[in-house]
Structure formats: structure tokens, C-alpha cells
Amino acid sequence: YGSKISESDAVWLAGRIGKAYQPDCEGNNTDLDIDNMPSECGFAYRGDFREPTVVTERADGASMSRYLYASHKISEGVFEPAGLPHARRGDKTLYVTLRDGFSDTEIVLYYTVSDDSDVLVRGSVIKNAGKTALKLKKAFSFCTELFAADWKLLKLEGNWVAERSPEITDLGHGVTKIQSLRGASSHQMNPFAALLRDGADEFSGECYGFQLIYSGSWAITAERNNINQLRIQGGVNDFGFCWKLGAGESFHTPQAALCYSSEGMGKLSREYADFIRERIMPPAHAFSTRPIVVNNWEATYFDFNNEKLFAIIDESAKLGIDTFVLDDGWFGVRDSDRSGLGDWVVNEKKLKGGLKAVIDRCKSKGMKFGLWFEPEMISPDSDLYRAHPDYAICKKGTTPVYGRHQLCLDLTRKEVRDCVVEAVSKVLRENEISYVKWDYNRDLADMYSESLPADGMGEFTHRYMLGAYDLFERITSAFLNILFEGCAGGGRRFDAGMLYYFPHIWTSDNADAVERTRIQYGTSYCYPLSAMSCHVSVCPNHQTGRTVSFDTRGAVASLGSTGYELDISKLSEQEKQKVKEQVESYKKIADLVLGGDLYRLCDPFEGDRFCEMIVSKDKTRAYLAGTRTKYLPRRNSSHLRIYGLDENKTYKITETGDVVSGKVLAAAGIPFRELREYESFVYHIEEVKKK
Ligand code: DGJ
């Protein structure tokens, strides 16, 4: 795991590591050497004093373990963990079986590699090979050890409306932990970490990436021991986790996608983008042209009727927008966020003629129709709750924790999932719907299910996520023609697990163009641009109050799956003309957003500029968009260095007329356009073929 080396070097390295750390498992006094031994699976209470990777407890309460190599095999293709999102494709998988005679545990660590990818997929299967039940108290997905270096940890921290800000810190001695305990991968911390070696940055140096293909409570820890070795590992959060493993039973961990780059974070991100598009996203949609949507949420919130929606539809159709998405408020009694969730039946008092009237209007204008759901939730004021109060997560006799006035459904129960699948599918079956926005607006609390035994509550949080994945799978696979957009109060659940079902996700409830430069920049560290829904919204912006030109909003929203989140019918004629032009120009670069390589040229967290470029795989075309995020006079370089083109090709920048080689564009760059605060620019770059 790292830079590619020859087989003979690998053999030499293995021999050297073997001698330096020779463990003695027979119990004489050299035993404690294993405390420093690089391990692929750390164990508990038997001489390795670092945090373990897997912990089991026998019926007699003993938890000591030491997993030793037993055998291995290499097979074609991938391993598919039961009920979990996973890499769909890979060349070969190495399976290493470890056994521990004491705890009767058998662990199969697996590693999937592919010649055309620098992403290594890891996971494990933990089996109770004994005759009595075991408790599995920790079951991380991967463990990797790296040698001494000046490692920096890059994490993506954030909040609602400020998701995924890169934060780089030193790694001191001891354990550094990043995690979510919210039952969702979370706004606050993304299930991703990178290690940057000895001053690595965006463009150069060695970086290691660690990304979980998981959407529930997770943890990644980095432990630097006193001889400066680093153990990094992660998986399902072990806080409160306890999984009963009967004799012969197995637990499949979620997968982790590990990546290595010797050319800085930029290359790491491009590897991850390819991995997610080619191996994680649903193949039917991963590279298919995304619709340009108009969503009515910020246009109307809950206050809409046929007339208001028709006005948006009619104007949008004229401007080339192809899909209208009806957001929250169309069902049950739902005029605010206090009621109605769970009642997936159209409110005909609000929408005369039901969904059909809106769909017919879309069709008559040549548009497609999309619909919002929040299937995992229930409002206490709903018919569903009145009929099945027990479907909500809540311990009887206690007041549950509310979030946005709503409760979560107990998805650990099959009958609850069946009820949701039927209610949502009925709407999808009976209406012509080509797009679904699947929302999730609170974190999980009250981790308790009446259906689990008293000693089974440690399974609840992970079982919730398995239940949610079952819902996603059943509904998305039954409606393959529908494009499912993920959403969770914006970016609460933006992770590779969700992208397995939802090829793009509403990146943040903050659609202010300036804030979006930062949110989209951070998100692009490990997810492709096409995974991000990026909409132009109204000004003054509803979150920040900021006013930014239509051009700048369009430029920033063009760096993802674009759309509009405003009342198109209320725009001025000049603004409508802008929408028309933006839609036309986006269609010309949509293929780059879907399949190109991203180069982050100016970091909006530093200095006062943001600039990103997408380059076609064959490096004949590129699209570049940038803006000035704040005005700091003379604080930036006067030139924009354009990295990522082919050094040996000559290019023309349409907007400036410059004709110059990729080599000079990277080394010297072009003069930075003088920009006022929040002003933006876009460049279309094309190869000039030699005659
Ligand atoms: C949160 C989402 O992020 C918004 O876009 C919108 O769909 C609301 N929920 C609706 O309640």
C-alpha cells in the first residue's frame, strides 16, 4: 500500500520487517516485541498495547486475542459484503485468513486491487469459529501501519450549511480520533481522512487517503506510538457497539477505500473521483447526463399551489431546464415541518388534481417531473403515527429526542421497512416520475428498539443503517429509470455508502455561491464533481443574506450537477436570459463534469480566490471557473498557473484568445483577471491541432 514497487523489493521488505519485529507467540519473554509490530489487524490484551482493530468477548468474559496468519488465497473480482454498499468492480481480491485459537475467532481480511486504479478496497469477515456465542465489541474495517514521518492529518470537518472544510493538523503522540455518533456520517465530520507526508500539498508529495463506504456512525483513529510509528484504522464506531455472534455466524464489516498518491492531494482526489464513478455509483446513472433541475424549495417553501408551481414550470421550460422537482409539502397535512411525514399521499386540497395535474403540466411543456420524499421519518402528527406509534424510535415510557419536530422510523424492523417500501413505491408506480430527492433531516438518537432483546441494543445503530440500505436497495432497484438524488438536510450524509444508491447528493443547504466555493472544494477531496448537486439560488441569499451576481452563481453551480433553486417566474427578463445562456453553456461541458479530471487551482480557504478546472481524459478540452471570494488587495499571485493540461499540446483559451502550450500554462500561467469581490470568470480551453 503505497508507491508501486517491484516484486523483489517487496520480498526484501517483507523479510526485513519480519526480522525487525519477529513476534514470539509461544509466551517467552520476548513476547512484548509485538507491541511495535506493524499489523494488519490489531488485537487486544495479548501484548499489543495499541488500540485493537477487532475485539471479541467469550462467554466466560475473556477478551484476549492474538490473530495469526493461517492461510490466503487470491480470487478474481470483488467481495460483496451482505447488505452493504461496496465496490462493484475490481480485478483481484486477496483473502488472508487469521485465526486465534483462544477466542475461537476467524477473521478473513480482504484486499481488492485493480491495475487501473490506485484505490485499495479493504474489509473483513469476522466469524465465530467456536461452539458458544461470542460478543463482537469492535469490528473496524481496516488497519494500516505507516513508518515514522512528519505526518499531517487532513480531515473534513463542518456543520449544517458549512460542510466539509479541510482542516490539517499535526499528529502528536497518542490517539487522534475523528468520528460520528449521530447514526449518520454527519455534517460535522466526513468519514474520510488523509495523511500528508513531510510537507505534501495539493500538487506534490505523498498522501494516503482513507474513506469509509459507510453512512452510519463511524470512527477513524490515528495512533502515533512512542517510536513514531502510526497505526491508522477505522470502521463502524465501537462506542456502544456489541454484536452477538452465535456459533458459526459471521459479521461483515463495511468496506474502506484506501488510496495513495505521490503527487499531492490533487491526484488523490482524481483517483477517488474515478473510483466512485466507475466502481461505486449505480452504473445506469454514473456517467449518464444529469437533468438540469429546477427545485421549488427556496422558491415557495411549504406555501405553494397549482398556480405557483405552474408559473415556475412554464418559465423553466422556456429557458431549457428539463426537470421540475417538487420539494417538501405535497403530501398528508404538511404546511410546516411539524406534521405529515409518513403520509405519502398527495394533499389534493393544496394541489388540485393531485400530482397528475403537475406532471401533466410538466409534460405539456416538454419537462420531466421529480418528487421529494423523506421516507425514513415520521411526524408524531401524522396518520402513520396514529396507526403505528410503535414504528417510531422511542423507548416506551420516555420522551424521545425530537429533531425538526420529527422522529425516525425504526428501520431495524422489517415490517416498518415493508410499510415504507410500499408507500413510496405506490407513488412511484402510479405517477410518471423520473427523479426522486430522498431527504433525511435529523440525526439518530434514542438508540433503542423494542424489537431487539435487552442484550442486543449494542447492535441497534448499525442495524438501523443496514435497514436503511435495505430500503435504498429495494426502492432504487425497483425503479431503475428514476434518478435518485440523496439529501440529508443538505450534506449530513455525503459519503461513498450513499453514492452507491444515489449518484448525486444535495451538497449543502447553503447555496450561497461564495460559501459554496468552500463547501464544494472540500467535498471534492474525495468525491467527484458529478456527485454534488449545485444550484443557483436567489439573492439576497436565504442563508447568508449575501448578494452575488447571476454570473458568479452560475459559474460556481456549473462545477457539479447543476440546477436552479429559486422562483424562475419572478426573475427579471435579463436574469431569465442569463439562465438560458447558463443552461446552454452547461450542456456543452456536462460531459466534463461527468467524466473529466478535476484540478483545484486556487484554494478558497487561502487567499482571496477560488478556481477549479475540469480536463477531459484525453486532455484535448478543459473548462475552468473561478471567482474572487473576498477582496484582499495585492495578496495573491498576479498569475494563474493552469496545471493539468498536456505539456506537449498547444491550447487556445476561447475567452482570452491566448494560444500557448500546456507546459507554459503550468509553469508561468496567464495573468490573473482583475476581479472585483465576488466577480467570476469562466474559460473554455481547447487543443489547437498541429497542421
Ligand atoms: C432539507 C433539504 O436540504 C432542503 O433542500 C429541502 O428539501 C428541505 N429539507 C425540505 O424540508
Side-chain angles (χ1 to χ4, degrees):
Y1 174 42
S3 180
K4 283 186 179 118
I5 56 174
S6 69
E7 199 164 329
S8 63
D9 277 352
V11 169
W12 181 86
L13 266 176
R16 201 197 69 166
I17 292 170
K19 280 197 196 77
Y21 297 100
Q22 200 73 59
D24 181 343
C25 303
E26 302 311 319
N28 67 42
N29 59 12
T30 59
D31 230 18
L32 293 184
D33 283 355
I34 56 173
D35 191 21
N36 294 321
M37 186 176 74
S39 174
E40 292 292 296
C41 183
F43 44 82
Y45 306 136
R46 296 270 282 160
D48 179 351
F49 295 98
R50 294 160 293 179
E51 292 209 326
T53 310
V54 175
V55 179
T56 54
E57 187 185 297
R58 302 197 316 189
D60 64 1
S63 283
M64 292 84 84
S65 59
R66 186 183 284 177
Y67 312 112
L68 297 174
Y69 169 86
S71 63
H72 75 274
K73 65 170 190 188
I74 294 174
S75 308
E76 298 291 313
V78 298
F79 178 80
E80 299 188 2
L84 286 161
H86 54 83
R88 295 173 190 269
R89 206 158 69 63
D91 289 356
K92 288 191 165 62
T93 300
L94 162 68
Y95 297 86
V96 181
T97 301
L98 310 179
R99 277 207 197 97
D100 174 18
F102 180 77
S103 70
D104 276 333
T105 315
E106 184 182 285
I107 304 180
V108 179
L109 307 175
Y110 64 87
Y111 305 72
T112 300
V113 292
S114 302
D115 276 347
D116 58 350
S117 169
D118 281 338
V119 173
L120 169 68
V121 176
R122 288 195 54 174
S124 65
V125 177
I126 302 163
K127 182 173 171 192
N128 177 354
K131 294 200 167 54
T132 48
L134 281 178
K135 284 186 200 154
L136 184 58
K137 296 173 93 178
K138 181 172 184 183
F140 270 7
S141 305
F142 73 94
C143 169
T144 273
E145 312 246 354
L146 298 167
F147 292 106
D150 179 18
W151 294 111
K152 301 268 188 281
L153 175 71
L154 186 156
K155 52 177 153 348
L156 297 175
E157 63 83 31
N159 224 319
W160 175 68
V161 301
E163 292 89 344
R164 292 171 293 282
S165 292
E167 182 179 74
I168 299 178
T169 53
D170 288 338
L171 271 181
H173 291 98
V175 180
T176 303
K177 183 175 195 179
I178 58 173
Q179 64 173 344
S180 163
L181 286 169
R182 295 165 182 270
S185 48
S186 89
H187 288 114
Q188 285 73 9
M189 195 67 80
N190 196 256
F192 164 77
L195 291 173
L196 279 56
R197 183 174 202 158
D198 301 328
D201 61 15
E202 176 67 18
F203 306 102
S204 64
E206 286 190 285
C207 303
Y208 287 81
F210 308 88
Q211 160 166 196
L212 296 170
I213 307 176
Y214 188 57
S215 319
S217 293
W218 61 274
I220 295 177
T221 58
E223 180 167 7
R224 177 172 161 192
N225 73 5
N226 298 84
I227 59 166
N228 294 319
Q229 284 172 196
L230 195 65
R231 168 175 292 182
I232 181 155
Q233 51 181 345
V236 173
N237 201 309
D238 51 319
F239 175 79
F241 175 83
C242 187
W243 196 273
K244 244 200 308 182
L245 267 188
E249 284 179 359
S250 294
F251 179 86
H252 292 188
T253 70
Q255 293 185 339
L258 277 50
C259 186
Y260 168 81
S261 153
S262 59
E263 294 166 46
M265 282 301 295
K267 176 78 170 21
L268 193 89
S269 304
R270 289 187 287 281
E271 285 292 331
Y272 269 139
D274 284 342
F275 172 75
I276 293 207
R277 294 184 293 214
E278 290 166 11
R279 293 154 207 266
I280 293 288
M281 285 179 176
H285 297 287
F287 291 98
S288 67
T289 306
R290 304 283 158 82
I292 299 182
V293 305
V294 57
N295 176 303
N296 73 306
W297 179 242
E298 292 199 5
T300 64
Y301 295 102
F302 295 103
D303 181 20
F304 56 80
N305 54 28
N306 296 46
E307 287 64 44
K308 284 192 190 178
L309 301 185
F310 290 178
I312 297 176
I313 293 164
D314 294 357
E315 281 308 315
S316 303
K318 284 187 209 153
L319 307 178
I321 294 174
D322 41 54
T323 302
F324 169 70
V325 179
L326 176 56
D327 210 282
D328 196 353
W330 58 270
F331 51 88
V333 178
R334 181 81 172 163
D335 293 320
S336 77
D337 57 13
R338 292 181 171 262
S339 60
L341 291 176
D343 299 341
W344 303 113
V345 176
V346 69
N347 178 347
E348 297 227 16
K349 281 201 193 115
K350 205 165 178 178
L351 286 181
K352 304 275 178 289
L355 290 176
K356 187 168 183 312
V358 186
I359 295 171
D360 284 349
R361 187 70 169 211
C362 288
K363 279 170 58 186
S364 72
K365 302 287 166 186
M367 283 178 81
K368 294 189 170 158
F369 177 75
L371 194 60
W372 180 97
F373 289 90
E374 195 175 0
E376 296 159 75
M377 298 290 166
I378 182 167
S379 300
D381 182 1
S382 66
D383 290 345
L384 181 66
Y385 189 85
R386 284 181 278 277
H388 298 287
D390 59 304
Y391 280 13
I393 294 174
C394 171
K395 168 136 181 58
K396 271 191 198 131
T398 67
T399 306
V401 173
Y402 292 92
R404 207 191 191 204
H405 315 292
Q406 66 201 47
L407 297 173
C408 300
L409 286 169
D410 184 354
L411 298 186
T412 67
R413 293 169 56 185
K414 178 151 186 322
E415 66 274 31
V416 177
R417 300 199 298 273
D418 290 348
C419 166
V420 176
V421 170
E422 185 40 37
V424 173
S425 304
K426 186 168 187 303
V427 180
L428 300 182
R429 265 194 314 266
E430 293 176 355
N431 295 283
E432 275 181 70
I433 295 176
S434 67
Y435 190 103
V436 164
K437 178 176 174 188
W438 183 304
D439 210 343
Y440 177 87
N441 278 298
R442 56 160 294 178
D443 292 322
L444 216 55
D446 296 294
M447 309 298 199
Y448 187 89
S449 173
E450 299 288 348
S451 71
L452 290 171
D455 62 353
M457 289 315 155
E459 302 185 3
F460 178 79
T461 315
H462 183 56
R463 279 199 187 278
Y464 176 90
M465 209 54 242
L466 291 175
Y469 287 141
D470 178 54
L471 264 194
F472 307 159
E473 177 62 34
R474 285 164 69 185
I475 295 179
T476 59
S477 64
F479 298 94
L480 284 175
N481 293 333
I482 294 180
L483 179 65
F484 286 83
E485 176 191 30
C487 176
R492 172 188 275 111
R493 241 178 8 188
F494 204 121
D495 56 70
M498 295 305 289
L499 289 167
Y500 184 86
Y501 309 93
F502 303 87
H504 65 233
I505 298 176
W506 181 229
T507 316
S508 172
D509 274 348
N510 192 344
D512 173 292
V514 178
E515 294 304 318
R516 271 301 185 103
T517 62
R518 295 186 263 270
I519 295 167
Q520 293 172 202
Y521 191 95
T523 305
S524 75
Y525 271 122
C526 46
Y527 307 109
L529 295 186
S530 59
M532 300 181 215
S533 302
C534 302
H535 293 179
V536 172
S537 61
V538 79
C539 280
N541 181 269
H542 289 190
Q543 307 301 341
T544 63
R546 193 185 269 129
T547 294
V548 171
S549 74
F550 221 91
D551 286 341
T552 297
R553 283 178 268 160
V556 175
S558 69
L559 293 164
S561 293
T562 205
Y564 292 82
E565 187 92 9
L566 40 72
D567 192 338
I568 296 268
S569 69
K570 295 203 175 122
L571 296 182
S572 66
E573 285 311 312
Q574 199 192 12
E575 287 172 325
K576 284 183 194 160
Q577 184 54 30
K578 291 266 180 209
V579 175
K580 201 162 180 245
E581 285 163 18
Q582 286 173 356
V583 168
E584 276 163 16
S585 112
Y586 183 82
K587 286 185 177 161
K588 293 190 192 128
I589 57 134
D591 63 320
L592 293 178
V593 176
L594 277 174
D597 281 330
L598 174 71
Y599 289 82
R600 290 179 292 251
L601 303 180
C602 299
D603 179 348
F605 294 93
E606 285 174 11
D608 65 356
R609 284 177 187 146
F610 159 81
C611 184
E612 289 183 350
M613 177 172 68
I614 327 171
V615 183
S616 64
K617 287 278 179 198
D618 64 3
K619 294 200 187 281
T620 57
R621 281 168 63 219
Y623 171 75
L624 186 153
T627 178
R628 189 157 205 180
T629 51
K630 55 180 175 256
Y631 192 79
L632 296 174
R634 298 195 194 89
R635 291 287 168 82
N636 263 286
S637 147
S638 59
H639 280 65
L640 171 66
R641 291 173 67 186
I642 301 181
Y643 301 87
L645 298 167
D646 184 337
E647 298 212 333
N648 300 314
K649 286 188 177 13
T650 301
Y651 295 93
K652 176 166 182 183
I653 304 178
T654 312
E655 287 75 5
T656 65
D658 288 304
V659 177
V660 61
S661 72
K663 188 169 187 175
V664 168
L665 284 172
I670 58 168
F672 224 125
R673 251 198 62 193
E674 210 23 72
L675 295 173
R676 289 172 184 270
E677 191 168 67
Y678 308 154
E679 214 184 316
S680 58
F681 63 98
V682 299
Y683 291 156
H684 294 80
I685 302 176
E686 232 165 291
E687 183 190 3
V688 180
K689 293 261 189 282
K690 290 195 185 90
K691 297 229 169 88

